[in-house]
Amino acid sequence: MTKDVGVVLAGLGEAPPSPGGSGRSGEAMTLTAIEAACDDAGLATTGIDAILKYSHDASISLQALAATLRCEELRFGLEGGSGGGTGPGLIDTARTLVASGAASAVLCYRTIVGNDWVARMNMPDEARPYYLDVVNYLRPVGWTGYLHSFASLYSEHAARYGTSREALGHVVSQLRANAARNPH
């Protein structure tokens, strides 16, 4: 068990969304969000020494990003390519890197270009065959998106662990309250 040694989530950034697509490239949106996060953290991009990326989307590779940001000493890089748990996994990896002394300023990012992502959901992809499972096997019987998938997962979780609808409702209410604090 490791002892936390002053690990802080210091900066958040996003490229403002725009309805109907903005024409911005995934790379441009990534750089906009990273600059905002570094400004929020009071950190120069050259001080980033580890980069963690959620792969399988339209974002720039971490090697190209490190060069573009002029990271002076990149000590660690990782691309995580799993599903919904990848985001929290990257945050936990960042915490572990800082707590262990392996890095001091870790950048975690993911870029989604909405129209491109929707198109990818309907195309063959050897790295993500489960997307086509949704298209070919679930939509014809009424499953049209992640909400249906998560409803099924909740049912299984509730059966195994006794999770109540009230507990799930509390989580949803807290997520909405947290989101409402975001002025964007």
Side-chain angles (χ1 to χ4, degrees):
M1 178 181 251
T2 61
K3 181 181 175 187
D4 284 338
V5 289
V7 177
V8 174
L9 180 61
L12 297 172
E14 66 180 347
S18 60
S22 64
R24 294 174 293 178
S25 69
E27 181 175 328
M29 292 191 328
T30 300
L31 293 172
T32 297
I34 290 168
E35 288 170 7
C38 287
D39 286 347
D40 187 39
L43 174 72
T45 59
T46 56
I48 295 169
D49 59 0
I51 298 176
L52 308 177
K53 173 190 182 213
Y54 190 120
S55 60
H56 296 313
D57 287 315
S59 54
I60 182 173
S61 74
L62 63 91
Q63 294 87 355
L65 180 62
T68 301
L69 297 175
R70 295 185 174 91
C71 297
E72 293 175 352
E73 184 181 340
L74 191 65
R75 300 168 74 188
F76 188 85
L78 173 74
E79 292 194 24
S82 297
T86 299
L90 294 181
I91 299 298
D92 193 47
T93 301
R95 184 198 61 78
T96 302
L97 287 168
V98 172
S100 71
S104 60
V106 183
L107 169 68
C108 300
Y109 74 102
R110 179 182 189 188
T111 303
I112 299 173
V113 178
N115 295 336
D116 293 344
W117 188 76
V118 170
R120 289 180 198 204
M121 289 287 289
N122 294 306
M123 295 170 39
D125 185 343
E126 290 181 21
R128 297 175 294 178
Y130 48 88
Y131 279 3
L132 277 183
D133 289 348
V134 171
V135 173
N136 294 329
Y137 301 108
L138 301 179
R139 286 186 186 160
V141 294
W143 286 31
T144 57
Y146 285 118
L147 295 178
H148 293 97
S149 299
F150 285 122
S152 178
L153 291 171
Y154 164 73
S155 294
E156 180 64 23
H157 191 276
R160 286 186 188 189
Y161 303 106
T163 307
S164 69
R165 292 177 61 91
E166 291 77 18
L168 183 64
H170 176 74
V171 170
V172 170
S173 295
Q174 189 62 52
L175 289 171
R176 286 181 179 161
N178 292 344
R181 289 200 267 306
N182 182 340
H184 303 290

